[in-house]
Amino acid sequence: MTGPLFPALLDPPDRAALVFPDGALTWPELPVHAHALGAELAGSRRVAVWATPSLTSAVGIVAALLAGVPAVPLNPRAGLRELEHVIADAAPDAVLAAPGTDLPTALSSVRRLSIPRESLRRGARVDRFGTPPPDTPALVVYTSGTTGPPKGAVLSRGAIAANLDALADAWAWTADDVLVHALPLFHVHGLVLGVLGPLRRGGALRHLGTFDSEKLAGAVDAGGTLVFGVPTHYHRLAAELETDPRAAATIGRARLLVSGSAALTAVDHARLQRLTGLAVRERYGLTETLILTAARADEPPEPGTVGRPLAGTDVRLVPLDAATDDTDDTDDGLGTVEARGPALFSGYLNRPADLTADGWFRTGDVGRWTPSGALALVGRQATDLIKSGGFKLGAGEIENALLEHPAVAEVAVVGVPDDDLGERVVAYVVAAEPVAERELADHVATLLASYKRPREVRFVTELPRNDLGKLVKARLPR
Ligand code: MCA
Ligand code: AMP
């Protein structure tokens, strides 16, 4: 990557850049807002951004990027333990939030800066901060592992630019596109693809705030061309469109519907095609790798697959029984997905990254190649990762939170299939004393993000263990 992350800022077109329920900015207005704040940030090591799905949060991120300061998006729904961990781990010099935001006490030790709501003046120079080198960290995005607290994946400016350019190639994504979505801004999907994507292209984002078919139809009617969502969005959309043929016809005028972060079922794919006439494109990636594979816009998708590797990205399958790292690709069976390429993260903050000796990242996902060269994902190696509504949840983190409750003697957390969420969190608990299911769920929702709370608690007298006393989750009564 040479040149700026957002080339359109050099000669801003006179049209909308960011449209959110709380306000909108045109391309000429965007740098004015961002620069006013960026000047205050210059020289900071890292800055946290209270990442609500709002214009102010998007401006805060852009300001940090223009100032060359790595931004750490904070999940506004994060619980106490998560916020304490992220603040201690990322050690931001400041936290950016919209004026008047009531920030939790876990952030009280961090200097607070307000993101300006009003334009100060037009015509600020966009090259005021220069262009940092491509390996400069742009974002630190926290993502859950199987055990322990979330890890901060460091994403460089070059990785983000390379990935967004490869997606532009796959989806013919241009400055004429208006992206529509309702994704949160503290993960790669909503932030990198969903905000930085349209800004890199010189196009526009129309964020819905919350997702429903009426709002989506309204946004497509207003010029939206490209729609991003997680399978839970598309599952709900299909159900709503069954009784709203007008909205279905309007949404069918979009150029492309794209699903990612979890698997879209074949049933929902077929329903949406029947209702809107559009075949949803799936793409696959991780916080650490950005997007690896995608179904292209110029080819009919192969439902049940996540498309082919993006240009410049290497994806290989390592046979499940492979004992070494240097195994060749296999095209005739299942393997674990490994990836290498320009969009790989630079490592975890304060933690080693688990790459192979020759630089491959082990995703932990299991898949096979189809004859056409597309990747079909069939599952994950770790039972301790749960994908609920597109959020990756670590079973270990939820188990640790439950063990902090005095009534919990032993616990095992798993994901079970769920029509709406893909998987839902279920906790098997050996209770030390009588306790209500609701109390345990609320306890988790205080320490962690509320969507990490168990949807169901199953009380058992003991957990299945092997001869060495190790928990065997596969033997839990499902
Ligand atoms: C909300 N709730 C959930 C979830 N979301 N429970 C379990 N799993 C969830 N994912 C609960 C809340 O805790 C709350 O319950 C109740 O549902 C209503 O909350 P609300 O926010 O209104 O929910 P919603 O609007 O129905 O949210 C569903 C959602 C959301 C919009 C699909 O889950 C979502 O935004 N998912 C996107 C995830 C995402 O962006 N993933 C990207 C990471 P209570 O009040 O009782 O607590 S993956 C990634 O970045 C990689 C690179 C990739 O491939 O994309
Ligand atoms: P995260 O760590 O939150 O970035 O989530 C990354 C994980 O999401 C991947 O390892 C996959 O398990 C899953 N994922 C992302 N996109 C897809 C997809 N299109 N189909 C199935 N799983 C997906």
Side-chain angles (χ1 to χ4, degrees):
M1 168 208 181
T2 50
L5 199 48
F6 310 126
L9 283 179
L10 295 174
D11 185 14
D14 204 5
R15 56 166 191 259
L18 298 173
V19 182
F20 281 78
D22 66 320
L25 285 179
T26 62
W27 274 98
E29 288 168 330
L30 179 61
V32 182
H33 280 252
H35 276 150
L37 185 59
E40 289 198 64
L41 301 179
S44 301
R45 180 185 36 183
R46 269 186 290 278
V47 62
V49 179
W50 191 245
T52 54
S54 63
L55 180 69
T56 39
S57 299
V59 169
I61 302 271
V62 172
L65 290 173
L66 290 180
V69 176
V72 187
L74 298 179
N75 174 358
R77 294 171 86 167
L80 183 66
R81 286 287 174 278
E82 287 164 307
L83 280 177
E84 285 171 347
H85 164 71
V86 171
I87 294 304
D89 193 55
D93 291 325
V95 56
L96 305 186
T101 308
D102 200 9
L103 292 178
T105 48
L107 298 177
S108 54
S109 62
V110 186
R111 181 167 76 110
R112 177 186 175 143
L113 288 175
S114 280
I115 304 169
R117 280 197 206 277
E118 301 303 325
S119 183
L120 300 178
R121 67 193 159 85
R122 294 180 74 91
R125 286 182 53 80
V126 293
D127 53 358
R128 209 160 90 193
F129 299 111
T131 299
D135 59 354
T136 310
L139 298 174
V140 181
V141 180
Y142 278 81
T143 181
S144 293
T146 50
T147 56
K151 298 173 280 189
V154 180
L155 303 172
S156 71
R157 302 170 76 89
I160 290 171
N163 204 234
L164 293 174
D165 293 351
L167 286 175
D169 166 63
W171 296 332
W173 188 356
T174 71
D176 294 331
D177 277 305
V178 177
L179 173 66
V180 182
H181 69 79
L183 292 157
L185 301 195
F186 50 87
H187 276 309
V188 162
H189 195 167
L191 179 57
V192 176
L193 276 64
V195 176
L196 307 186
L199 294 183
R200 174 119 183 115
R201 296 277 67 81
L205 162 66
R206 185 174 278 272
H207 196 286
L208 300 176
T210 55
F211 190 90
D212 68 49
S213 56
E214 212 173 302
K215 279 194 209 162
L216 179 58
V220 172
D221 206 33
T225 58
L226 196 54
V227 179
F228 288 174
V230 294
T232 301
H233 286 138
Y234 287 114
H235 179 74
R236 295 176 183 179
L237 180 66
E240 289 176 35
L241 294 185
E242 293 282 6
T243 56
D244 193 349
R246 269 175 59 142
T250 307
I251 292 167
R253 298 208 308 266
R255 189 171 72 76
L256 208 61
L257 308 183
V258 180
S259 174
S261 302
L264 183 73
T265 65
V267 172
D268 286 334
H269 181 96
R271 275 172 96 192
L272 285 163
Q273 186 153 19
R274 172 170 55 77
L275 291 159
T276 65
L278 295 172
V280 179
R281 270 30 178 218
E282 282 198 78
R283 96 295 177 285
Y284 153 68
L286 292 83
T287 304
E288 292 91 335
T289 61
L290 300 183
I291 303 309
L292 295 170
T293 68
R296 296 183 61 86
D298 56 6
E299 293 172 2
E302 211 178 314
T305 78
V306 290
R308 290 198 299 269
L310 295 183
T313 298
D314 297 323
V315 178
R316 70 177 183 184
L317 294 180
V318 177
L320 293 173
D321 55 359
T324 59
D325 284 343
D326 54 356
T327 320
D328 286 339
D329 272 12
T330 173
D331 60 0
D332 61 353
L334 291 180
T336 57
V337 181
E338 296 190 352
R340 200 167 61 172
L344 228 57
F345 72 143
S346 318
Y348 297 110
L349 206 60
N350 309 321
R351 278 168 190 75
D354 181 25
L355 300 185
T356 66
D358 47 354
W360 293 84
F361 179 80
R362 303 179 179 97
T363 66
D365 294 306
V366 178
R368 65 160 63 89
W369 298 115
T370 68
S372 68
L375 181 66
L377 293 171
V378 299
R380 267 189 312 269
Q381 274 180 311
T383 50
D384 282 337
L385 289 175
I386 301 162
K387 263 273 157 159
S388 171
F391 288 124
K392 181 152 93 177
L393 316 180
E397 190 188 19
I398 302 171
E399 287 162 357
N400 287 339
L402 282 164
L403 286 169
E404 282 192 41
H405 193 285
V408 176
E410 290 181 60
V411 63
V413 164
V414 295
V416 305
D418 185 280
D419 282 348
D420 182 45
L421 297 169
E423 287 182 291
R424 68 174 185 279
V425 174
V426 172
Y428 288 82
V429 169
V430 179
E433 56 192 66
V435 61
E437 177 171 347
R438 181 75 217 177
E439 183 175 330
L440 295 183
D442 288 348
H443 168 78
V444 172
T446 309
L447 297 182
L448 308 176
S450 60
Y451 52 77
K452 296 185 179 178
R453 74 185 155 77
R455 295 255 158 174
E456 201 183 321
V457 177
R458 299 180 185 168
F459 292 99
V460 290
T461 49
E462 59 178 356
L463 295 175
R465 296 186 182 276
N466 66 15
D467 293 345
L468 300 171
K470 193 173 173 305
L471 180 68
V472 186
K473 289 192 176 177
R475 296 217 310 255
L476 284 166
R478 296 290 164 108

